[in-house]
Amino acid sequence: MFKVPDHQVAGHMAGAGALGPLVDDSGHFYKPLQSGERGTHEVAFYTSFSTDTRVPDQIRKFFPAFHGTRDLEASDGSGMHPHLVLEDIVSSRINPSILDIKIGSSTWYPEASEAYISKCLEKDRETCSLTLGFRISGLQFYGSKETGFWKPDRKSVNSFTHDDVRSALRKFVSSNSPTNSDIEPDCSYASIIYGGPDGILAQLLELKSWFEDQTIFHFYSCSVMMVYDKESILKGENPNPQIKLVDFAHVTEGKGVIDHNFLGGLCSLIKFISDVVTDPNK
Amino acid sequence: MFKVPDHQVAGHMAGAGALGPLVDDSGHFYKPLQSGERGTHEVAFYTSFSTDTRVPDQIRKFFPAFHGTRDLEASDGSGMHPHLVLEDIVSSRINPSILDIKIGSSTWYPEASEAYISKCLEKDRETCSLTLGFRISGLQFYGSKETGFWKPDRKSVNSFTHDDVRSALRKFVSSNSPTNSDIEPDCSYASIIYGGPDGILAQLLELKSWFEDQTIFHFYSCSVMMVYDKESILKGENPNPQIKLVDFAHVTEGKGVIDHNFLGGLCSLIKFISDVVTDPNK
């Protein structure tokens, strides 16, 4: 009944003695509570967010639905472990292309311990976070039945340069093979996946408007996941491009101030994606 | 012919053996080149910016006009010293109210030396920069002929809390005495100074649009100055609210990425000011 997800691209992964998320066949995603404060923090966020009437419905749709917590047999065989019960974002998709982008030039929050700040700051400086305001933390791009997915390992993704990020954002919406680095991405799907009234750019802009105003939460170390179905395009069906925010173990109270760290990074990502839509042949 | 400016609120100030800016009576502001790279950096920025055709005219007006450099007798009596020749922003004003706000949660740039980063990061954490995305670095608010200016010293301004910042942004547009801390600021002038088609908010929003798109410059440790004439309101004249960007010793190349650090902080400031306009009685 519970199984390891087919399409996870970032975060702790279940398997061979490792604690990771599970899914069922009715569209639920079971995320094991992280140890210490992180787990309790994330439960507290979901609980508070899901009942906060200040969050508009058009923004709520960008977050996974939350169905409480549940004790389950852990994927690492260590016995019962509490899990968050969330919406499985990709359950209805066959071969989804996925980009997981951690937003914010800073992944640490001002009240964190010195040790935690140092560790995060070092990683923010090593990766693109500090300079771009976001970093790609995982991806899988579907090519075709023949080539399958392009899914570089975590180490490669962490060492992405600015050019690699730009290239990945182009490959994500290209019809040609993402696995072959000799082929220039054609960005054929930029206008239907990024562009248009229901495209990813429109969704990111809606999220941006909220972040310009909301002072309830600050989303440190949180990701925007972007998903669509490449095969649907070939079949003439709706590829259903969608964004979802995930990972809330480091959300803090806004205390009357906007989340300028998240907003700045989001605007940077929006600019990168706009560039692809405006000039797909560049 | 050259004299110490009447209305400087931040930065190095001339006087008693100290090197600081001078003004003349034809509207020029002479800023001594800072030592080492800072001075040459700031000249390079003004030179490059003033001839960059990618900068739209409606944005250029937010920067002081630049008239090259000139060797002048330094204010500290040390002999000839090169100065930037800039537009004197307040020369035409009698008793201007001024707010100098350093924008960005981070005042250091990624390529800076470790020593410089540590020093800035410490100050960003001690002041409001890190949490608000901006900090007030100087101010003078005109009260009346009787009370004159409220001009807290640098140390007091640096120790402003979130509440102090919110209060200062209210006092700036209030008719009642800024010097008396027992009087609740009335925000009577919020709608004419912050609001309206030519108000400070409209100008900040125009600047914001440019920052959402421009990838030419990153403005680390740069300030937005906000100025207007309170006495003009009483005389029924235009108080002429105006914003200007100042201090470009730490501008770096954008390299195709937006300045998400400045933009995030600017959006936070905009939200604070919008709150005053929307709810002046709060």
Side-chain angles (χ1 to χ4, degrees):
Chain A
M1 175 183 176
F2 298 110
K3 60 172 197 137
V4 172
D6 290 329
H7 305 298
Q8 199 188 339
V9 301
H12 306 280
M13 297 192 194
L19 183 62
L22 297 167
V23 293
D24 64 17
D25 46 17
S26 43
H28 294 127
F29 183 88
Y30 299 87
K31 182 177 178 178
L33 261 65
Q34 295 176 69
S35 59
E37 277 188 0
R38 297 183 184 201
T40 48
H41 231 96
E42 191 157 23
V43 175
F45 168 75
Y46 270 111
T47 308
S48 148
F49 182 85
S50 63
T51 55
D52 196 314
T53 52
R54 292 169 297 179
V55 180
D57 287 342
Q58 73 269 27
I59 294 303
R60 204 172 281 286
K61 70 172 188 275
F62 297 135
F63 290 76
F66 172 60
H67 308 287
T69 59
R70 186 171 155 187
D71 283 333
L72 281 191
E73 197 69 49
S75 66
D76 61 355
S78 63
M80 296 302 275
H81 190 98
H83 290 65
L84 288 156
V85 187
L86 304 170
E87 169 190 4
D88 183 359
I89 297 165
V90 295
S91 66
S92 59
R93 300 177 187 262
I94 310 294
N95 287 310
S97 288
I98 305 175
L99 244 179
D100 182 298
I101 301 180
K102 199 183 277 277
I103 306 290
S105 63
S106 165
T107 55
W108 52 278
Y109 46 101
E111 306 81 12
S113 71
E114 291 303 318
Y116 183 80
I117 291 177
S118 297
K119 198 186 77 175
C120 290
L121 183 55
E122 193 182 335
K123 185 141 189 203
D124 296 343
R125 293 176 69 184
E126 280 167 10
T127 61
C128 292
S129 289
L130 188 66
T131 49
L132 293 188
F134 64 87
R135 69 175 178 248
I136 294 181
S137 46
L139 65 86
Q140 67 168 33
F141 295 172
Y142 186 68
S144 62
K145 266 175 196 139
E146 292 68 40
T147 64
F149 287 100
W150 179 53
K151 191 172 177 175
D153 61 26
R154 192 170 303 188
K155 216 179 141 189
S156 316
V157 173
N158 278 338
S159 62
F160 271 8
T161 63
H162 286 196
D163 283 346
D164 293 333
V165 169
R166 212 174 277 281
S167 167
L169 288 168
R170 293 172 57 80
K171 280 184 179 175
F172 183 59
V173 292
S174 288
S175 73
N176 48 11
S177 172
T179 49
N180 188 337
S181 58
D182 294 334
I183 300 177
E184 187 60 29
D186 61 19
C187 298
S188 311
Y189 306 145
S191 61
I192 51 172
I193 301 302
Y194 287 150
D198 300 317
I200 281 174
L201 200 49
Q203 296 177 52
L204 291 173
L205 288 168
E206 195 166 5
L207 190 64
K208 177 188 165 221
S209 310
W210 186 59
F211 270 89
E212 286 172 343
D213 191 54
Q214 76 88 13
T215 61
I216 318 170
F217 304 109
H218 285 190
F219 295 86
Y220 289 97
S221 210
C222 164
S223 286
V224 166
M225 267 182 61
M226 314 191 317
V227 192
Y228 80 99
D229 297 306
K230 196 185 250 188
E231 283 182 313
S232 300
I233 302 175
L234 304 173
K235 290 184 199 154
E237 292 165 7
N238 182 358
N240 199 12
Q242 214 178 15
I243 65 162
K244 288 274 180 186
L245 270 70
V246 294
D247 297 337
F248 307 109
H250 304 287
V251 174
T252 62
E253 275 179 53
K255 293 178 187 164
V257 181
I258 64 162
D259 187 352
H260 46 85
N261 176 60
F262 188 100
L263 178 58
L266 183 62
C267 289
S268 178
L269 176 62
I270 286 170
K271 170 68 175 163
F272 267 72
I273 292 180
S274 300
D275 283 351
V276 179
V277 175
T278 312
D279 206 348
N281 302 317
K282 196 171 140 190
Chain B
M1 175 182 175
F2 298 110
K3 61 170 197 139
V4 172
D6 290 328
H7 304 298
Q8 198 186 341
V9 300
H12 305 280
M13 297 193 193
L19 184 61
L22 297 166
V23 293
D24 64 18
D25 47 17
S26 43
H28 293 129
F29 183 89
Y30 299 87
K31 181 177 178 178
L33 261 64
Q34 294 176 69
S35 59
E37 277 188 0
R38 297 183 183 201
T40 49
H41 231 96
E42 191 157 23
V43 175
F45 168 76
Y46 271 112
T47 308
S48 147
F49 181 85
S50 64
T51 55
D52 196 315
T53 52
R54 292 169 297 179
V55 180
D57 287 341
Q58 73 269 26
I59 294 302
R60 204 173 281 287
K61 70 171 187 276
F62 296 134
F63 291 75
F66 172 61
H67 308 288
T69 58
R70 186 171 155 186
D71 283 334
L72 282 192
E73 198 68 51
S75 66
D76 60 356
S78 64
M80 296 302 273
H81 190 98
H83 290 65
L84 287 157
V85 187
L86 303 171
E87 169 192 4
D88 182 359
I89 296 166
V90 295
S91 65
S92 59
R93 300 176 187 262
I94 311 294
N95 287 311
S97 288
I98 306 176
L99 245 178
D100 182 300
I101 301 180
K102 200 184 276 278
I103 306 289
S105 63
S106 165
T107 56
W108 51 278
Y109 45 101
E111 307 80 12
S113 71
E114 290 303 316
Y116 183 80
I117 292 178
S118 296
K119 198 186 76 175
C120 291
L121 183 56
E122 193 182 333
K123 186 142 189 203
D124 296 343
R125 292 175 70 183
E126 279 167 11
T127 61
C128 291
S129 290
L130 188 66
T131 48
L132 294 188
F134 64 88
R135 68 175 178 248
I136 294 180
S137 45
L139 65 87
Q140 69 169 34
F141 296 171
Y142 186 68
S144 63
K145 266 175 196 140
E146 291 68 40
T147 63
F149 286 100
W150 179 52
K151 191 171 178 175
D153 62 26
R154 192 170 303 188
K155 215 178 140 189
S156 317
V157 173
N158 278 338
S159 63
F160 271 9
T161 63
H162 287 196
D163 283 346
D164 294 333
V165 169
R166 212 174 278 280
S167 168
L169 288 168
R170 294 172 57 80
K171 280 185 179 175
F172 183 60
V173 292
S174 288
S175 73
N176 48 9
S177 171
T179 49
N180 188 337
S181 58
D182 294 334
I183 299 178
E184 187 62 26
D186 60 20
C187 299
S188 310
Y189 305 145
S191 62
I192 52 171
I193 301 303
Y194 288 149
D198 300 317
I200 281 174
L201 199 49
Q203 296 177 53
L204 291 173
L205 288 169
E206 195 165 6
L207 190 64
K208 176 186 165 222
S209 310
W210 185 59
F211 270 89
E212 286 172 342
D213 191 54
Q214 76 88 12
T215 61
I216 318 171
F217 304 109
H218 284 190
F219 294 87
Y220 290 96
S221 210
C222 164
S223 285
V224 166
M225 267 182 62
M226 313 190 320
V227 192
Y228 79 99
D229 298 306
K230 196 185 252 189
E231 283 183 312
S232 301
I233 301 176
L234 303 172
K235 291 184 199 152
E237 293 166 7
N238 182 358
N240 199 13
Q242 215 179 14
I243 65 162
K244 288 273 182 188
L245 270 72
V246 294
D247 298 336
F248 308 109
H250 304 287
V251 174
T252 62
E253 277 180 51
K255 295 180 185 163
V257 181
I258 65 162
D259 188 352
H260 46 85
N261 177 60
F262 188 99
L263 178 59
L266 183 62
C267 289
S268 179
L269 175 62
I270 286 170
K271 170 67 176 164
F272 267 73
I273 292 181
S274 300
D275 283 350
V276 179
V277 175
T278 312
D279 206 349
N281 302 317
K282 196 172 140 187

